Amino acid sequence: MGGSPRKKRPRPCSIDIESVCRIMKCRSPIAGGKIVKERCFEVLDSNSATAFMTLVTFYVLYSNDILLLCFDKSADDVFVAISSVSFFLFLVEILIQCWCKEDYLKLPTINGLQNAWDDAMLAPKFADRIKIVLSACHVGSFYFWLDTISTFSMVFEIPWLLPSSMGPAAGSSNVDSARAGKASRAGAKAARLVKVVRMIRLIRLVKLYKYFSNKKRKEGTIVPADDETDIPPESRLGSEMSDRTTKRVIVGILFMLIVIPLLQANEYEYSDQLQLQMIFDRRVSLADTESNVESRVSNWRFSEDYFLNNTSCVFLEYEGFNDGQHNIGIIPTSRSSRDSLRVIEKTAITIFDADQSKSLAAEFDLSEKADEEALSSILLTSFVIILLAVGTMAFSHDVNNLVIIPIERMVQLVKEISVNPLGGNHSLDAADIKRMDDGMETTLLLKTISKIAGLMRVGFGEAGAEIIAKNLNISNEDGSGKSLSLLGKGNKIHSIFVFCDVRNFTDTTECLQEEVMLFVNRIAYILHGIVVQYDGAANKNIGDAFLLTWKVDPLCLHSCEALNYYGDKAVLSLVKTMILMRRHEEFLCNFSSRSLSALYERMPRYKCKMGCGLHFGWAIEGAIGSDKKIDASYISPHVNWSEFLESSTKAYGVPLLMSEPFFELLSPVLKKHCRQVDNIRKGETEEVTGLYTFDANFDVVDVKRAKKNFDVVTDSQQNISQHVRLDEASNLSSSNRISNRKTLHKRRTQFSKVNKGVTQRKHPSLARPAASSLLGEAPDVSMPFFMVDVWDVDPEIRELRKYAITDTQRKVWNRGFDAYVKGDWSLALVCFNDINDTTSGGDGPAQFLLSKMEEHNFVVPPDWKGFRDV
């Protein structure tokens, strides 16, 4: 109690270094600025912002003309306020794009200027040097300057930004009116140019067209589904071609709109000026008092009244006259007041005498003419909008269909191959060819790429998928895709290796001669077609032998379900292949009379058979060879193990021989139909391995069974299996059923992905017309979906097992084999002889072990440890 208090032990501090680094990186000024730029650009490029700026653009294009046509001067302030807001919105848009888009505001850099100067010095011609230097000094992109010019063209419509555009104030002197009149006449062309400059704002509508076109392309996928016909994502070539075409259309139309008004002759109305001159002369003549003053006054007043009543004059004023007459003309009350008219709706004419001491000024109402011009301007703006849209689409349509889209499809096809060389059907359908105008060189090139992809898929196989992907990856930015990279380190994989060999192939080759290729390819047609449907892949074809693989995830070896029953699928593929080979012997042996006579003369009762060895282990996957010739394959002693097992099938008299590592991958349903036939050790440094076989007698296959009956059998076995699975599923929890369903189909090989989305009963890679024409009338090798209980419910497999060994015989065999391993060869001899007697000497494993025991006079060797060294 009196001791020092116990100190609290500090808690261990666990810090996620990766999370801290990520947070610090995000909080750094550079990263933060980049994120803000991206967010600003996303907002500016969003649908809502684009739609809003499009409405503002339409307003700016039509607002001035609609104001003149539909509203009086009292509404000017409202329109000026809205135009001012639009002006600043466009300015903000330009500033944001200058900050966010790197290619919008292009500014020359010191390094760029130095490099351009060095390149210019190396150029042979002076013109080339000037071109290189000017390109380096280029400031701003094409769209930057168009946006800037179109935005600042609004200055002429905002009076507070350009006060001189408001014209002379009311009550100004006749000198000011004269200057305004001269300016209005001299600025007629300038006004037209201002209207043309306003047309530059139409570029925003073209940008809207590009926005929707790019959005449609961005919605495409890197690897589209087979039934999709969307345009592939836009490539650099397509973007550049579309951009250049749009620029040329814009420049051509704007150039036409600017030049045509300049080439037109200006029409001026001089009648009002002549009448004013007559009125002014008659008023000046009133100063002469020598004769008939009243007559001159009457003539002057008549001329003035006629002028005011028959013209659109709204203001008339005399200056410098002291003759006692009125100096302000009396305007008809039906006319618009001078102050109610806009500057653009009126014009002024001033007449001076010789010494400019006297003058006559008049202002005229041009509102009707302004309305006509406003209506014409609206029609012209609408026409230019249609012309830009139609022109851009018309110019781009043929280029897109004949050049850009085919090239982009080529690029997309290469990307699909590089992403998954074996996982897509890289071919063109009739709709694609028809849409791209079949017969063009681009279409022929696309067809060629598609065929090359198919050849690579077939030639390299699953082992060469990474080689194809690495060398066709055109998106590598590190330059690794510039040259072929074929040789290098391999990848360690775990796989089921199946080695199949055709029996009596040497004799068959000598008899068939050149037709032996048909024979081998027909066998491969059946074998590979079934293997692919059950998630396997064909690796090597070595004349009479075939190497097949099922890649396995090492983390899934704890259960058959996690392994997707790959072991069962491998055995089922071989069993179904041997059944179809036996059933379709007419297809396999469809040769010329000479070849058939030679074949059956040498082997009178010839039947096409195969031996298969199955093993599981690791291997190194990669390219083997040199830059002159490579083969994508596997290097491993486990591959040799499968070949050894196949070669041993002849000695054991069985069609299938499995190693113990492979046997451990099988499901309990299949294991009970297999039996161990031996224990061997291939070397002193290797472990003892058990050998197993699947008991089946393939000689009892009904060759005459029709294909229709075969389809009925497969349908019936699916129905039977469905009931069995329902009974078994009742004993499982719902979570286990969901887990089994997920693992049963979650993993597929690259080849099986080729036909993703197509039911296995109508496999698109099987029974193709091309195969039928080259190999003969090829049979349908479509297989039903795999089921765990297929070994108990499939009628064909049950029939094969029935004529192999019975359950009673298997018990005798197991008792004899246990005695054989333990060294009780006397009991083993009795059991093996019993098996031989009951099978009429047809059990290969029993005969083989009896022969090995006979080598030792049926006496156990002194060093017997339960296995044989081979």
Side-chain angles (χ1 to χ4, degrees), residues 276 293 755 818 847:
L276 279 177
V293 176
N755 311 291
D818 290 341
Q847 295 180 13

Side-chain angles (χ1 to χ4, degrees), residues 454-523:
L455 290 174
M456 287 192 301
R457 179 170 62 88
V458 175
F460 280 86
E462 190 176 21
E466 185 175 351
I467 300 174
I468 300 174
K470 182 171 62 176
N471 286 277
L472 292 185
N473 191 356
I474 61 177
S475 61
N476 285 345
E477 299 179 355
D478 56 355
S480 60
K482 294 182 179 179
S483 60
L484 288 177
S485 177
L486 302 175
L487 307 178
K489 294 182 179 180
N491 298 323
K492 185 176 181 180
I493 58 100
H494 290 76
S495 176
I496 295 172
F497 299 101
V498 178
F499 197 86
C500 303
D501 182 78
V502 181
R503 297 282 195 250
N504 304 317
F505 187 76
T506 302
D507 295 334
T508 305
T509 302
E510 294 177 358
C511 297
L512 299 180
Q513 297 296 319
E514 64 272 7
E515 292 185 73
V516 73
M517 301 300 291
L518 289 175
F519 177 65
V520 174
N521 290 338
R522 287 167 182 168
I523 296 175

Side-chain angles (χ1 to χ4, degrees), residues 209 213 216-217 229-239 241-242 393 396-414 428 431-437 440 442-443 445-446 449:
Y209 163 77
S213 177
K216 183 178 179 181
R217 290 177 177 268
T229 57
D230 293 340
I231 297 175
E234 188 176 23
S235 62
R236 295 182 181 179
L237 173 66
S239 177
M241 288 288 292
S242 300
M393 289 187 291
S396 301
H397 182 267
D398 291 337
V399 177
N400 284 337
N401 288 341
L402 299 178
V403 180
I404 295 178
I405 292 180
I407 292 179
E408 288 179 351
R409 286 185 63 86
M410 297 177 198
V411 175
Q412 178 70 7
L413 181 58
V414 174
L428 298 177
D432 293 332
I433 296 174
K434 184 177 180 180
R435 185 175 64 252
M436 293 185 297
D437 293 334
M440 298 293 178
T442 51
T443 306
L445 183 58
L446 186 56
I449 295 176

Side-chain angles (χ1 to χ4, degrees), residues 108-164:
T109 60
I110 297 177
N111 294 332
L113 293 175
Q114 291 178 350
N115 296 333
W117 180 259
D118 296 337
D119 296 339
M121 293 298 100
L122 298 176
K125 297 181 180 180
F126 180 77
D128 295 337
R129 297 178 182 178
I130 298 297
K131 185 177 180 180
I132 293 174
V133 174
L134 291 179
S135 63
C137 298
H138 181 72
V139 178
S141 64
F142 176 79
Y143 295 103
F144 166 78
W145 288 111
L146 281 181
D147 289 344
T148 303
I149 295 173
S150 63
T151 299
F152 282 94
S153 67
M154 297 178 61
V155 171
F156 298 99
E157 301 173 6
I158 303 177
W160 59 270
L161 289 177
L162 195 65
S164 60

Side-chain angles (χ1 to χ4, degrees), residues 298-318:
S298 176
N299 291 336
W300 166 70
R301 287 180 177 178
F302 175 79
S303 300
E304 184 185 65
D305 292 340
Y306 182 84
F307 175 78
L308 293 175
N309 292 322
N310 292 277
T311 63
S312 59
C313 182
V314 295
F315 175 75
L316 185 69
E317 181 182 17
Y318 300 91

